[in-house]
PDB file of all heavy atoms in Angstrom:
ATOM      1  N   SER A   2     104.413  94.129  96.667  1.00 96.00           N
ATOM      2  CA  SER A   2     104.052  94.551  95.303  1.00 96.00           C
ATOM      3  C   SER A   2     102.739  95.325  95.292  1.00 96.00           C
ATOM      4  O   SER A   2     102.617  96.359  94.631  1.00 96.00           O
ATOM      5  CB  SER A   2     103.950  93.327  94.387  1.00 96.00           C
ATOM      6  OG  SER A   2     105.196  92.700  94.243  1.00 96.00           O
ATOM      7  N   PHE A   3     101.752  94.823  96.013  1.00 95.00           N
ATOM      8  CA  PHE A   3     100.460  95.501  96.058  1.00 95.00           C
ATOM      9  C   PHE A   3     100.582  96.871  96.745  1.00 95.00           C
ATOM     10  O   PHE A   3      99.984  97.864  96.296  1.00 95.00           O
ATOM     11  CB  PHE A   3      99.420  94.649  96.778  1.00 95.00           C
ATOM     12  CG  PHE A   3      98.953  93.453  95.998  1.00 95.00           C
ATOM     13  CD1 PHE A   3      98.485  92.316  96.653  1.00 95.00           C
ATOM     14  CD2 PHE A   3      98.959  93.449  94.609  1.00 95.00           C
ATOM     15  CE1 PHE A   3      98.041  91.211  95.938  1.00 95.00           C
ATOM     16  CE2 PHE A   3      98.519  92.347  93.884  1.00 95.00           C
ATOM     17  CZ  PHE A   3      98.063  91.225  94.556  1.00 95.00           C
ATOM     18  N   LEU A   4     101.348  96.917  97.840  1.00 96.00           N
ATOM     19  CA  LEU A   4     101.522  98.187  98.545  1.00 96.00           C
ATOM     20  C   LEU A   4     102.242  99.215  97.668  1.00 96.00           C
ATOM     21  O   LEU A   4     101.905 100.405  97.690  1.00 96.00           O
ATOM     22  CB  LEU A   4     102.295  97.965  99.849  1.00 96.00           C
ATOM     23  CG  LEU A   4     101.528  97.239 100.961  1.00 96.00           C
ATOM     24  CD1 LEU A   4     102.456  96.880 102.112  1.00 96.00           C
ATOM     25  CD2 LEU A   4     100.355  98.062 101.461  1.00 96.00           C
ATOM     26  N   LYS A   5     103.214  98.753  96.900  1.00 97.00           N
ATOM     27  CA  LYS A   5     103.929  99.653  95.990  1.00 97.00           C
ATOM     28  C   LYS A   5     102.989 100.188  94.915  1.00 97.00           C
ATOM     29  O   LYS A   5     103.016 101.382  94.586  1.00 97.00           O
ATOM     30  CB  LYS A   5     105.102  98.910  95.343  1.00 97.00           C
ATOM     31  CG  LYS A   5     105.991  99.794  94.469  1.00 97.00           C
ATOM     32  CD  LYS A   5     106.680 100.879  95.282  1.00 97.00           C
ATOM     33  CE  LYS A   5     107.629 101.697  94.429  1.00 97.00           C
ATOM     34  NZ  LYS A   5     108.258 102.798  95.196  1.00 97.00           N
ATOM     35  N   ALA A   6     102.143  99.303  94.376  1.00 97.00           N
ATOM     36  CA  ALA A   6     101.183  99.734  93.364  1.00 97.00           C
ATOM     37  C   ALA A   6     100.214 100.765  93.938  1.00 97.00           C
ATOM     38  O   ALA A   6      99.900 101.771  93.292  1.00 97.00           O
ATOM     39  CB  ALA A   6     100.416  98.523  92.830  1.00 97.00           C
ATOM     40  N   ALA A   7      99.758 100.526  95.168  1.00 96.00           N
ATOM     41  CA  ALA A   7      98.831 101.466  95.817  1.00 96.00           C
ATOM     42  C   ALA A   7      99.505 102.814  96.060  1.00 96.00           C
ATOM     43  O   ALA A   7      98.891 103.873  95.911  1.00 96.00           O
ATOM     44  CB  ALA A   7      98.337 100.878  97.139  1.00 96.00           C
ATOM     45  N   GLU A   8     100.787 102.773  96.428  1.00 97.00           N
ATOM     46  CA  GLU A   8     101.545 104.014  96.663  1.00 97.00           C
ATOM     47  C   GLU A   8     101.730 104.804  95.364  1.00 97.00           C
ATOM     48  O   GLU A   8     101.602 106.034  95.349  1.00 97.00           O
ATOM     49  CB  GLU A   8     102.911 103.650  97.246  1.00 97.00           C
ATOM     50  CG  GLU A   8     103.851 104.821  97.452  1.00 97.00           C
ATOM     51  CD  GLU A   8     105.270 104.366  97.769  1.00 97.00           C
ATOM     52  OE1 GLU A   8     105.445 103.286  98.370  1.00 97.00           O
ATOM     53  OE2 GLU A   8     106.207 105.092  97.399  1.00 97.00           O
ATOM     54  N   LEU A   9     102.000 104.081  94.290  1.00 97.00           N
ATOM     55  CA  LEU A   9     102.257 104.744  93.009  1.00 97.00           C
ATOM     56  C   LEU A   9     101.009 105.332  92.376  1.00 97.00           C
ATOM     57  O   LEU A   9     101.068 106.359  91.702  1.00 97.00           O
ATOM     58  CB  LEU A   9     102.896 103.743  92.028  1.00 97.00           C
ATOM     59  CG  LEU A   9     104.347 103.349  92.314  1.00 97.00           C
ATOM     60  CD1 LEU A   9     104.746 102.155  91.452  1.00 97.00           C
ATOM     61  CD2 LEU A   9     105.278 104.530  92.051  1.00 97.00           C
ATOM     62  N   ASP A  10      99.879 104.660  92.596  1.00 97.00           N
ATOM     63  CA  ASP A  10      98.634 105.120  91.958  1.00 97.00           C
ATOM     64  C   ASP A  10      97.506 105.157  92.980  1.00 97.00           C
ATOM     65  O   ASP A  10      96.916 104.130  93.308  1.00 97.00           O
ATOM     66  CB  ASP A  10      98.262 104.183  90.806  1.00 97.00           C
ATOM     67  CG  ASP A  10      97.059 104.680  90.014  1.00 97.00           C
ATOM     68  OD1 ASP A  10      96.429 105.661  90.447  1.00 97.00           O
ATOM     69  OD2 ASP A  10      96.755 104.081  88.969  1.00 97.00           O
ATOM     70  N   PRO A  11      97.195 106.332  93.509  1.00 96.00           N
ATOM     71  CA  PRO A  11      96.138 106.454  94.522  1.00 96.00           C
ATOM     72  C   PRO A  11      94.740 106.152  93.984  1.00 96.00           C
ATOM     73  O   PRO A  11      93.787 106.051  94.762  1.00 96.00           O
ATOM     74  CB  PRO A  11      96.243 107.912  94.974  1.00 96.00           C
ATOM     75  CG  PRO A  11      96.921 108.616  93.853  1.00 96.00           C
ATOM     76  CD  PRO A  11      97.841 107.625  93.229  1.00 96.00           C
ATOM     77  N   ASP A  12      94.624 106.002  92.664  1.00 96.00           N
ATOM     78  CA  ASP A  12      93.316 105.722  92.061  1.00 96.00           C
ATOM     79  C   ASP A  12      93.197 104.285  91.535  1.00 96.00           C
ATOM     80  O   ASP A  12      92.243 103.967  90.825  1.00 96.00           O
ATOM     81  CB  ASP A  12      93.054 106.690  90.901  1.00 96.00           C
ATOM     82  CG  ASP A  12      92.973 108.130  91.360  1.00 96.00           C
ATOM     83  OD1 ASP A  12      92.544 108.363  92.506  1.00 96.00           O
ATOM     84  OD2 ASP A  12      93.349 109.025  90.583  1.00 96.00           O
ATOM     85  N   HIS A  13      94.158 103.425  91.870  1.00 96.00           N
ATOM     86  CA  HIS A  13      94.170 102.063  91.335  1.00 96.00           C
ATOM     87  C   HIS A  13      93.200 101.180  92.132  1.00 96.00           C
ATOM     88  O   HIS A  13      93.511 100.701  93.224  1.00 96.00           O
ATOM     89  CB  HIS A  13      95.591 101.488  91.389  1.00 96.00           C
ATOM     90  CG  HIS A  13      95.839 100.373  90.419  1.00 96.00           C
ATOM     91  ND1 HIS A  13      95.256  99.133  90.562  1.00 96.00           N
ATOM     92  CD2 HIS A  13      96.593 100.314  89.294  1.00 96.00           C
ATOM     93  CE1 HIS A  13      95.651  98.348  89.569  1.00 96.00           C
ATOM     94  NE2 HIS A  13      96.466  99.043  88.781  1.00 96.00           N
ATOM     95  N   VAL A  14      92.022 100.987  91.588  1.00 96.00           N
ATOM     96  CA  VAL A  14      90.953 100.261  92.274  1.00 96.00           C
ATOM     97  C   VAL A  14      91.323  98.799  92.492  1.00 96.00           C
ATOM     98  O   VAL A  14      91.146  98.252  93.596  1.00 96.00           O
ATOM     99  CB  VAL A  14      89.632 100.377  91.479  1.00 96.00           C
ATOM    100  CG1 VAL A  14      88.580  99.409  92.025  1.00 96.00           C
ATOM    101  CG2 VAL A  14      89.098 101.805  91.534  1.00 96.00           C
ATOM    102  N   ASP A  15      91.827  98.130  91.452  1.00 96.00           N
ATOM    103  CA  ASP A  15      92.116  96.694  91.555  1.00 96.00           C
ATOM    104  C   ASP A  15      93.146  96.391  92.638  1.00 96.00           C
ATOM    105  O   ASP A  15      93.046  95.380  93.338  1.00 96.00           O
ATOM    106  CB  ASP A  15      92.612  96.150  90.206  1.00 96.00           C
ATOM    107  CG  ASP A  15      91.508  96.088  89.172  1.00 96.00           C
ATOM    108  OD1 ASP A  15      90.323  96.073  89.565  1.00 96.00           O
ATOM    109  OD2 ASP A  15      91.812  96.045  87.966  1.00 96.00           O
ATOM    110  N   THR A  16      94.137  97.257  92.781  1.00 96.00           N
ATOM    111  CA  THR A  16      95.152  97.058  93.813  1.00 96.00           C
ATOM    112  C   THR A  16      94.533  97.116  95.200  1.00 96.00           C
ATOM    113  O   THR A  16      94.863  96.306  96.077  1.00 96.00           O
ATOM    114  CB  THR A  16      96.265  98.125  93.699  1.00 96.00           C
ATOM    115  OG1 THR A  16      96.999  97.877  92.495  1.00 96.00           O
ATOM    116  CG2 THR A  16      97.208  98.057  94.878  1.00 96.00           C
ATOM    117  N   ARG A  17      93.629  98.052  95.397  1.00 96.00           N
ATOM    118  CA  ARG A  17      93.002  98.176  96.717  1.00 96.00           C
ATOM    119  C   ARG A  17      92.095  96.988  97.013  1.00 96.00           C
ATOM    120  O   ARG A  17      92.032  96.514  98.145  1.00 96.00           O
ATOM    121  CB  ARG A  17      92.260  99.518  96.808  1.00 96.00           C
ATOM    122  CG  ARG A  17      93.242 100.643  97.066  1.00 96.00           C
ATOM    123  CD  ARG A  17      92.835 102.024  96.646  1.00 96.00           C
ATOM    124  NE  ARG A  17      93.918 102.949  96.995  1.00 96.00           N
ATOM    125  CZ  ARG A  17      95.031 103.095  96.254  1.00 96.00           C
ATOM    126  NH1 ARG A  17      95.167 102.415  95.122  1.00 96.00           N
ATOM    127  NH2 ARG A  17      95.996 103.921  96.645  1.00 96.00           N
ATOM    128  N   TRP A  18      91.431  96.482  95.994  1.00 96.00           N
ATOM    129  CA  TRP A  18      90.657  95.257  96.181  1.00 96.00           C
ATOM    130  C   TRP A  18      91.591  94.101  96.576  1.00 96.00           C
ATOM    131  O   TRP A  18      91.278  93.298  97.463  1.00 96.00           O
ATOM    132  CB  TRP A  18      89.902  94.901  94.901  1.00 96.00           C
ATOM    133  CG  TRP A  18      88.457  95.265  94.927  1.00 96.00           C
ATOM    134  CD1 TRP A  18      87.822  96.202  94.173  1.00 96.00           C
ATOM    135  CD2 TRP A  18      87.442  94.697  95.765  1.00 96.00           C
ATOM    136  NE1 TRP A  18      86.479  96.252  94.482  1.00 96.00           N
ATOM    137  CE2 TRP A  18      86.218  95.341  95.447  1.00 96.00           C
ATOM    138  CE3 TRP A  18      87.453  93.718  96.751  1.00 96.00           C
ATOM    139  CZ2 TRP A  18      85.016  95.031  96.082  1.00 96.00           C
ATOM    140  CZ3 TRP A  18      86.251  93.400  97.389  1.00 96.00           C
ATOM    141  CH2 TRP A  18      85.058  94.052  97.051  1.00 96.00           C
ATOM    142  N   ALA A  19      92.730  94.028  95.904  1.00 95.00           N
ATOM    143  CA  ALA A  19      93.684  92.949  96.200  1.00 95.00           C
ATOM    144  C   ALA A  19      94.170  93.039  97.640  1.00 95.00           C
ATOM    145  O   ALA A  19      94.311  92.021  98.327  1.00 95.00           O
ATOM    146  CB  ALA A  19      94.867  93.029  95.228  1.00 95.00           C
ATOM    147  N   LEU A  20      94.421  94.256  98.110  1.00 96.00           N
ATOM    148  CA  LEU A  20      94.881  94.432  99.491  1.00 96.00           C
ATOM    149  C   LEU A  20      93.786  94.101 100.497  1.00 96.00           C
ATOM    150  O   LEU A  20      94.056  93.512 101.551  1.00 96.00           O
ATOM    151  CB  LEU A  20      95.379  95.870  99.688  1.00 96.00           C
ATOM    152  CG  LEU A  20      96.769  96.144  99.085  1.00 96.00           C
ATOM    153  CD1 LEU A  20      97.020  97.644  98.966  1.00 96.00           C
ATOM    154  CD2 LEU A  20      97.856  95.485  99.921  1.00 96.00           C
ATOM    155  N   VAL A  21      92.548  94.454 100.182  1.00 96.00           N
ATOM    156  CA  VAL A  21      91.427  94.080 101.052  1.00 96.00           C
ATOM    157  C   VAL A  21      91.367  92.558 101.189  1.00 96.00           C
ATOM    158  O   VAL A  21      91.312  92.016 102.304  1.00 96.00           O
ATOM    159  CB  VAL A  21      90.085  94.618 100.491  1.00 96.00           C
ATOM    160  CG1 VAL A  21      88.907  93.970 101.224  1.00 96.00           C
ATOM    161  CG2 VAL A  21      90.013  96.126 100.635  1.00 96.00           C
ATOM    162  N   GLU A  22      91.401  91.864 100.058  1.00 93.00           N
ATOM    163  CA  GLU A  22      91.307  90.408 100.083  1.00 93.00           C
ATOM    164  C   GLU A  22      92.511  89.782 100.774  1.00 93.00           C
ATOM    165  O   GLU A  22      92.379  88.791 101.503  1.00 93.00           O
ATOM    166  CB  GLU A  22      91.168  89.876  98.659  1.00 93.00           C
ATOM    167  CG  GLU A  22      89.838  90.272  98.006  1.00 93.00           C
ATOM    168  CD  GLU A  22      89.692  89.750  96.594  1.00 93.00           C
ATOM    169  OE1 GLU A  22      90.639  89.090  96.099  1.00 93.00           O
ATOM    170  OE2 GLU A  22      88.649  90.001  95.977  1.00 93.00           O
ATOM    171  N   LEU A  23      93.698  90.352 100.561  1.00 92.00           N
ATOM    172  CA  LEU A  23      94.908  89.812 101.172  1.00 92.00           C
ATOM    173  C   LEU A  23      94.868  89.949 102.689  1.00 92.00           C
ATOM    174  O   LEU A  23      95.090  88.970 103.418  1.00 92.00           O
ATOM    175  CB  LEU A  23      96.139  90.545 100.620  1.00 92.00           C
ATOM    176  CG  LEU A  23      97.502  90.024 101.094  1.00 92.00           C
ATOM    177  CD1 LEU A  23      97.759  88.627 100.537  1.00 92.00           C
ATOM    178  CD2 LEU A  23      98.614  90.967 100.662  1.00 92.00           C
ATOM    179  N   TYR A  24      94.566  91.139 103.186  1.00 93.00           N
ATOM    180  CA  TYR A  24      94.559  91.351 104.638  1.00 93.00           C
ATOM    181  C   TYR A  24      93.432  90.582 105.330  1.00 93.00           C
ATOM    182  O   TYR A  24      93.570  90.180 106.487  1.00 93.00           O
ATOM    183  CB  TYR A  24      94.450  92.838 104.953  1.00 93.00           C
ATOM    184  CG  TYR A  24      95.764  93.582 104.822  1.00 93.00           C
ATOM    185  CD1 TYR A  24      95.913  94.622 103.903  1.00 93.00           C
ATOM    186  CD2 TYR A  24      96.863  93.234 105.602  1.00 93.00           C
ATOM    187  CE1 TYR A  24      97.120  95.300 103.772  1.00 93.00           C
ATOM    188  CE2 TYR A  24      98.077  93.902 105.470  1.00 93.00           C
ATOM    189  CZ  TYR A  24      98.203  94.923 104.560  1.00 93.00           C
ATOM    190  OH  TYR A  24      99.401  95.583 104.427  1.00 93.00           O
ATOM    191  N   VAL A  25      92.341  90.352 104.616  1.00 92.00           N
ATOM    192  CA  VAL A  25      91.233  89.586 105.198  1.00 92.00           C
ATOM    193  C   VAL A  25      91.575  88.105 105.283  1.00 92.00           C
ATOM    194  O   VAL A  25      91.276  87.431 106.266  1.00 92.00           O
ATOM    195  CB  VAL A  25      89.946  89.795 104.366  1.00 92.00           C
ATOM    196  CG1 VAL A  25      88.937  88.696 104.647  1.00 92.00           C
ATOM    197  CG2 VAL A  25      89.307  91.138 104.695  1.00 92.00           C
ATOM    198  N   SER A  26      92.209  87.579 104.244  1.00 87.00           N
ATOM    199  CA  SER A  26      92.410  86.126 104.153  1.00 87.00           C
ATOM    200  C   SER A  26      93.632  85.630 104.921  1.00 87.00           C
ATOM    201  O   SER A  26      93.677  84.462 105.320  1.00 87.00           O
ATOM    202  CB  SER A  26      92.527  85.705 102.684  1.00 87.00           C
ATOM    203  OG  SER A  26      93.611  86.363 102.058  1.00 87.00           O
ATOM    204  N   LEU A  27      94.625  86.508 105.152  1.00 81.00           N
ATOM    205  CA  LEU A  27      95.830  86.063 105.857  1.00 81.00           C
ATOM    206  C   LEU A  27      95.568  85.925 107.364  1.00 81.00           C
ATOM    207  O   LEU A  27      94.892  86.766 107.963  1.00 81.00           O
ATOM    208  CB  LEU A  27      96.961  87.071 105.668  1.00 81.00           C
ATOM    209  CG  LEU A  27      97.680  87.094 104.318  1.00 81.00           C
ATOM    210  CD1 LEU A  27      98.726  88.217 104.323  1.00 81.00           C
ATOM    211  CD2 LEU A  27      98.334  85.773 104.020  1.00 81.00           C
ATOM    212  N   PRO A  28      96.127  84.892 107.981  1.00 73.00           N
ATOM    213  CA  PRO A  28      96.070  84.817 109.450  1.00 73.00           C
ATOM    214  C   PRO A  28      96.852  85.979 110.059  1.00 73.00           C
ATOM    215  O   PRO A  28      97.818  86.479 109.464  1.00 73.00           O
ATOM    216  CB  PRO A  28      96.767  83.476 109.757  1.00 73.00           C
ATOM    217  CG  PRO A  28      96.761  82.714 108.479  1.00 73.00           C
ATOM    218  CD  PRO A  28      96.801  83.736 107.385  1.00 73.00           C
ATOM    219  N   GLY A  29      96.448  86.400 111.248  1.00 64.00           N
ATOM    220  CA  GLY A  29      97.099  87.522 111.899  1.00 64.00           C
ATOM    221  C   GLY A  29      98.583  87.315 112.098  1.00 64.00           C
ATOM    222  O   GLY A  29      99.378  88.263 112.019  1.00 64.00           O
ATOM    223  N   ILE A  30      99.000  86.092 112.310  1.00 57.00           N
ATOM    224  CA  ILE A  30     100.404  85.785 112.599  1.00 57.00           C
ATOM    225  C   ILE A  30     101.321  86.094 111.415  1.00 57.00           C
ATOM    226  O   ILE A  30     102.521  86.314 111.573  1.00 57.00           O
ATOM    227  CB  ILE A  30     100.553  84.306 113.039  1.00 57.00           C
ATOM    228  CG1 ILE A  30     101.908  84.102 113.720  1.00 57.00           C
ATOM    229  CG2 ILE A  30     100.359  83.354 111.874  1.00 57.00           C
ATOM    230  CD1 ILE A  30     102.056  82.759 114.398  1.00 57.00           C
ATOM    231  N   VAL A  31     100.749  86.110 110.191  1.00 63.00           N
ATOM    232  CA  VAL A  31     101.566  86.430 109.008  1.00 63.00           C
ATOM    233  C   VAL A  31     101.115  87.726 108.347  1.00 63.00           C
ATOM    234  O   VAL A  31     101.342  87.947 107.165  1.00 63.00           O
ATOM    235  CB  VAL A  31     101.562  85.269 107.987  1.00 63.00           C
ATOM    236  CG1 VAL A  31     102.345  84.089 108.506  1.00 63.00           C
ATOM    237  CG2 VAL A  31     100.146  84.874 107.595  1.00 63.00           C
TER     238      VAL A  31
END
């Protein structure tokens, strides 16, 4: 969902913040 939002709107700041937090917090295995 976040990746789709980022693809649809290259200026969507909140989505990019969400992706930063998601990729940082998830273990590498997932």
